[in-house]
Amino acid sequence: MWACPVCSQALEKTERTWRCGEGHSYDCAKEGYVNLLLANQKRSADPGDTREMMLNRRAFLEAGYYQELASALSQVLQDLKIDTLLDCGCGEGYYLQQFLRSQPAVSIWGLDISRDAVRMASKSLKQGGNFAVASSFQLPVLSNSVDLVLRVFAPGSIDELKRVLRPQGAFVLIVPGPRHLFSLKQALYDTPALHDLPEVPEGFECESERRISFELKLPNNEAVNQLLAMTPFVWKGSREAKERLENSAQFTSEADFYIRVYRQNEH
Ligand SMILES: C[S@@+](CC[C@H](N)C(=O)[O-])C[C@H]1O[C@@H](n2cnc3c(N)ncnc32)[C@H](O)[C@@H]1O
Ligand SMILES: [Zn+2]
């Protein structure tokens, strides 16, 4: 399914190297992933989420705070009866790992622009998936090759996603619901805004939608700081408010998510 980022031909894997018919080749790292992000596709030397954000996200997710979301997602994916799944902006692979436990036969492909993210995902899924450092805006993926594209809180190009999906393919998107982490935002900003839900992208219809909302109890200071460090909040808000939060012994907020299944309607 990987395509050469230089000439777009199919890549074949022999031992630890992916090669195209034109002779371009990409070696796998020791964790098994491959770098398919060309130097001219990067806006910085080390794009995407940092290793520190990743480590905090992994610790937070592994403590089970978003387990309800992961289980709901696995169920939604299972019901779609797919053979291949591409996770665009897969992070350190938490949702893929959860899904693979219930559906080990599905062929899993994941990419992220952050090398640290891909390294961690590849290491924890071992033989369970194929991972690449790549951008969701220029997918190194063959056209019409994927049953399902997954995007969990990550950016990407809709046109690229349409190109790689098979005609009857599904696009599963997880976005924050209006009240997601609202009390955390109240603690940081004078006038916090509710999240807007995205429009259904052109060329797709919304086949199903599921809202997952629950009380998010962070029982200790460590969990509060992990959440702050893994979300964009870490960069914003007033310094005093942030310090107060960073020092708090616990915090309760709202988790609010939408899982949407979109289907292409132009075929
Ligand atoms: C909020 S995180 C979500 C990660 C993961 N899906 C999860 O929920 O745990 C957003 C991810 O998108 C990645 N990302 C940002 N820009 C990207 C791009 N252009 N292409 C691919 N991934 C990108 C970041 O490196 C980060 O891992
Ligand atoms: Zn090539």
Side-chain angles (χ1 to χ4, degrees), residues 4 7 20 22 24:
C4 176
C7 69
C20 73
E22 293 283 317
H24 303 120

Side-chain angles (χ1 to χ4, degrees), residues 47-49 54 57 61 87-92 94-95 111-114 117 134-137 152-155 230:
D49 285 8
M54 281 308 147
R57 184 169 301 130
L61 292 172
D87 187 354
C88 292
C90 63
E92 46 72 55
Y94 174 73
Y95 297 98
L111 58 86
D112 198 288
I113 206 163
S114 154
S135 170
S136 296
F137 290 89
V152 185
F153 316 122
M230 72 182 233

Side-chain angles (χ1 to χ4, degrees), residues 158-214:
I158 292 291
D159 286 341
E160 272 294 83
L161 186 155
K162 276 190 202 164
R163 179 182 66 76
V164 304
L165 268 184
R166 294 200 171 118
Q168 296 309 315
F171 167 28
V172 175
L173 180 69
I174 298 190
V175 288
R179 297 200 59 80
H180 188 53
L181 302 180
F182 194 71
S183 57
L184 186 74
K185 289 201 257 179
Q186 277 176 318
L188 284 169
Y189 312 124
D190 293 337
T191 50
L194 296 174
H195 279 286
D196 290 328
L197 286 176
E199 307 248 316
V200 176
E202 220 184 298
F204 287 90
E205 54 201 45
C206 190
E207 185 177 88
S208 70
E209 177 178 272
R210 202 166 151 190
R211 187 174 190 178
I212 314 289
S213 311
F214 53 92

Side-chain angles (χ1 to χ4, degrees), residues 4 8 34 40 47 63 71 105 114-115 126 129 149 181 225 229 231 260:
C4 176
S8 304
V34 61
N40 64 11
S71 303
S114 154
R115 182 185 287 267
K126 298 201 175 69
V149 170
L181 302 180
N225 279 292
T231 63
R260 281 193 178 167

